[in-house]
Amino acid sequence: MSENLVSMSQIYERSHKRIFDFLYKYTQNADTAMDLMQDSFLSFHKHYANAGLTEEKSVMVLYTIARNLSINFAKKFSTTREIQSEEMELHSHNPNLEKVAELQDLEARLYSFLDELKEDERSAILLKNVEGFQLAQISEILNVSVSTASRLVIRATEKLQAIALRENLIPD
């Protein structure tokens, strides 16, 4: 029993920040992401603690659980998301401060574009470009074939490029 507790502890220590970041990018709300992350680990512990999975496989299962919980949450509480931004003193002539504010605004706009994607496309693009997973890992997390995972990433990328073009974030 203590082996499983140590293993669960190691899995948590090595992956909880990544799972939280993934959920935060999905929900755009830190409290919701924290709740979903905790629920993900509780569900994993309940169903897989004694399954004898490797650490890599455990992390893949955690991403699958996290994704499913976030989809269920979105369906249950589909409301307009508020983009929170910290107020910054832009009257100063500090170019670094202004650049940081510009980049934060750009990042918030880019993440808001994710709302225009289908759930599976959003998951695929976040797992590929933010989390750095390979297509084989993405296919396992999403429970689709590798070719389907590839198509999802390509389709999501094309849609995001079209949105960025529409919003004048990239030149024609």
Side-chain angles (χ1 to χ4, degrees), residues 5 21 30 35 54 71 91 99 109 116 119 146 153 155:
L5 292 177
D21 288 345
D35 290 344
T54 65
I71 290 170
H91 298 291
K99 186 68 172 176
R109 288 183 69 193
E116 296 187 37
E119 288 291 334
V146 174
V153 170
R155 192 177 317 130

mmCIF file of all heavy atoms in Angstrom, residues 5 21 30 35 54 71 91 99 109 116 119 146 153 155:
data_model
loop_
_atom_site.group_PDB
_atom_site.id
_atom_site.type_symbol
_atom_site.label_atom_id
_atom_site.label_comp_id
_atom_site.label_asym_id
_atom_site.label_seq_id
_atom_site.Cartn_x
_atom_site.Cartn_y
_atom_site.Cartn_z
ATOM 1 N N LEU A 5 1.108 4.756 -2.531
ATOM 2 C CA LEU A 5 1.055 6.126 -2.042
ATOM 3 C C LEU A 5 2.269 6.913 -2.509
ATOM 4 O O LEU A 5 2.158 8.046 -2.934
ATOM 5 C CB LEU A 5 0.961 6.146 -0.514
ATOM 6 C CG LEU A 5 -0.339 5.615 0.088
ATOM 7 C CD1 LEU A 5 -0.262 5.617 1.608
ATOM 8 C CD2 LEU A 5 -1.509 6.461 -0.371
ATOM 9 N N ASP A 21 -1.982 23.702 -15.699
ATOM 10 C CA ASP A 21 -1.801 24.607 -16.838
ATOM 11 C C ASP A 21 -2.711 24.226 -17.998
ATOM 12 O O ASP A 21 -3.314 25.087 -18.638
ATOM 13 C CB ASP A 21 -0.344 24.606 -17.306
ATOM 14 C CG ASP A 21 0.580 25.319 -16.341
ATOM 15 O OD1 ASP A 21 0.091 26.056 -15.463
ATOM 16 O OD2 ASP A 21 1.806 25.109 -16.464
ATOM 17 N N ALA A 30 -8.605 30.217 -12.943
ATOM 18 C CA ALA A 30 -7.678 29.513 -12.052
ATOM 19 C C ALA A 30 -8.404 28.651 -11.021
ATOM 20 O O ALA A 30 -7.981 27.520 -10.755
ATOM 21 C CB ALA A 30 -6.761 30.513 -11.351
ATOM 22 N N ASP A 35 -9.918 23.226 -9.164
ATOM 23 C CA ASP A 35 -10.935 22.243 -8.788
ATOM 24 C C ASP A 35 -10.910 21.030 -9.713
ATOM 25 O O ASP A 35 -10.963 19.880 -9.260
ATOM 26 C CB ASP A 35 -12.337 22.868 -8.821
ATOM 27 C CG ASP A 35 -12.566 23.872 -7.708
ATOM 28 O OD1 ASP A 35 -11.782 23.876 -6.724
ATOM 29 O OD2 ASP A 35 -13.523 24.658 -7.821
ATOM 30 N N THR A 54 2.685 2.644 -15.643
ATOM 31 C CA THR A 54 3.951 3.373 -15.601
ATOM 32 C C THR A 54 3.633 4.847 -15.357
ATOM 33 O O THR A 54 2.492 5.291 -15.528
ATOM 34 C CB THR A 54 4.711 3.244 -16.934
ATOM 35 O OG1 THR A 54 3.935 3.882 -17.961
ATOM 36 C CG2 THR A 54 4.982 1.796 -17.288
ATOM 37 N N ILE A 71 -14.589 19.126 -20.235
ATOM 38 C CA ILE A 71 -15.702 19.112 -21.192
ATOM 39 C C ILE A 71 -17.023 19.028 -20.443
ATOM 40 O O ILE A 71 -17.970 19.761 -20.749
ATOM 41 C CB ILE A 71 -15.556 17.950 -22.194
ATOM 42 C CG1 ILE A 71 -14.386 18.219 -23.140
ATOM 43 C CG2 ILE A 71 -16.853 17.729 -22.980
ATOM 44 C CD1 ILE A 71 -14.013 17.031 -24.009
ATOM 45 N N HIS A 91 0.711 54.644 -18.057
ATOM 46 C CA HIS A 91 1.089 56.033 -18.253
ATOM 47 C C HIS A 91 2.581 56.245 -18.077
ATOM 48 O O HIS A 91 3.105 57.273 -18.468
ATOM 49 C CB HIS A 91 0.309 56.937 -17.292
ATOM 50 C CG HIS A 91 -1.165 56.865 -17.534
ATOM 51 N ND1 HIS A 91 -1.755 57.367 -18.676
ATOM 52 C CD2 HIS A 91 -2.168 56.329 -16.807
ATOM 53 C CE1 HIS A 91 -3.053 57.163 -18.628
ATOM 54 N NE2 HIS A 91 -3.330 56.534 -17.507
ATOM 55 N N LYS A 99 5.307 46.627 -23.300
ATOM 56 C CA LYS A 99 5.466 45.406 -24.098
ATOM 57 C C LYS A 99 4.821 44.212 -23.386
ATOM 58 O O LYS A 99 4.144 43.397 -24.011
ATOM 59 C CB LYS A 99 6.957 45.140 -24.359
ATOM 60 C CG LYS A 99 7.197 43.989 -25.282
ATOM 61 C CD LYS A 99 6.725 44.305 -26.683
ATOM 62 C CE LYS A 99 7.154 43.221 -27.644
ATOM 63 N NZ LYS A 99 6.659 43.429 -28.979
ATOM 64 N N ARG A 109 -6.188 37.343 -26.146
ATOM 65 C CA ARG A 109 -6.959 37.277 -27.393
ATOM 66 C C ARG A 109 -6.788 35.928 -28.079
ATOM 67 O O ARG A 109 -7.754 35.335 -28.560
ATOM 68 C CB ARG A 109 -6.547 38.403 -28.335
ATOM 69 C CG ARG A 109 -7.036 39.772 -27.855
ATOM 70 C CD ARG A 109 -6.702 40.873 -28.815
ATOM 71 N NE ARG A 109 -7.487 40.707 -30.031
ATOM 72 C CZ ARG A 109 -7.235 41.370 -31.163
ATOM 73 N NH1 ARG A 109 -6.236 42.203 -31.225
ATOM 74 N NH2 ARG A 109 -7.983 41.178 -32.227
ATOM 75 N N GLU A 116 -13.650 29.257 -30.323
ATOM 76 C CA GLU A 116 -14.280 29.081 -31.630
ATOM 77 C C GLU A 116 -14.000 27.699 -32.220
ATOM 78 O O GLU A 116 -14.554 27.349 -33.258
ATOM 79 C CB GLU A 116 -13.818 30.177 -32.590
ATOM 80 C CG GLU A 116 -14.258 31.564 -32.157
ATOM 81 C CD GLU A 116 -13.945 32.623 -33.173
ATOM 82 O OE1 GLU A 116 -14.050 32.343 -34.392
ATOM 83 O OE2 GLU A 116 -13.589 33.750 -32.763
ATOM 84 N N GLU A 119 -14.468 21.068 -29.397
ATOM 85 C CA GLU A 119 -13.791 20.542 -28.212
ATOM 86 C C GLU A 119 -12.581 19.683 -28.561
ATOM 87 O O GLU A 119 -11.512 19.840 -27.989
ATOM 88 C CB GLU A 119 -14.760 19.708 -27.352
ATOM 89 C CG GLU A 119 -15.793 20.500 -26.614
ATOM 90 C CD GLU A 119 -15.228 21.355 -25.505
ATOM 91 O OE1 GLU A 119 -14.167 21.029 -24.945
ATOM 92 O OE2 GLU A 119 -15.855 22.376 -25.202
ATOM 93 N N VAL A 146 -4.124 7.910 -34.634
ATOM 94 C CA VAL A 146 -3.058 8.894 -34.826
ATOM 95 C C VAL A 146 -3.396 9.804 -36.006
ATOM 96 O O VAL A 146 -3.171 11.018 -35.947
ATOM 97 C CB VAL A 146 -1.688 8.196 -35.026
ATOM 98 C CG1 VAL A 146 -0.607 9.202 -35.374
ATOM 99 C CG2 VAL A 146 -1.293 7.415 -33.779
ATOM 100 N N VAL A 153 -5.221 18.415 -35.228
ATOM 101 C CA VAL A 153 -4.197 19.450 -35.035
ATOM 102 C C VAL A 153 -4.120 20.352 -36.264
ATOM 103 O O VAL A 153 -4.098 21.586 -36.145
ATOM 104 C CB VAL A 153 -2.821 18.817 -34.723
ATOM 105 C CG1 VAL A 153 -1.720 19.863 -34.774
ATOM 106 C CG2 VAL A 153 -2.839 18.129 -33.362
ATOM 107 N N ARG A 155 -6.455 20.858 -38.615
ATOM 108 C CA ARG A 155 -7.696 21.624 -38.741
ATOM 109 C C ARG A 155 -7.732 22.776 -37.735
ATOM 110 O O ARG A 155 -8.097 23.908 -38.077
ATOM 111 C CB ARG A 155 -8.907 20.702 -38.529
ATOM 112 C CG ARG A 155 -10.215 21.346 -38.934
ATOM 113 C CD ARG A 155 -11.423 20.418 -38.791
ATOM 114 N NE ARG A 155 -11.176 19.072 -39.256
ATOM 115 C CZ ARG A 155 -11.453 17.965 -38.550
ATOM 116 N NH1 ARG A 155 -11.987 18.056 -37.350
ATOM 117 N NH2 ARG A 155 -11.217 16.776 -39.043
#
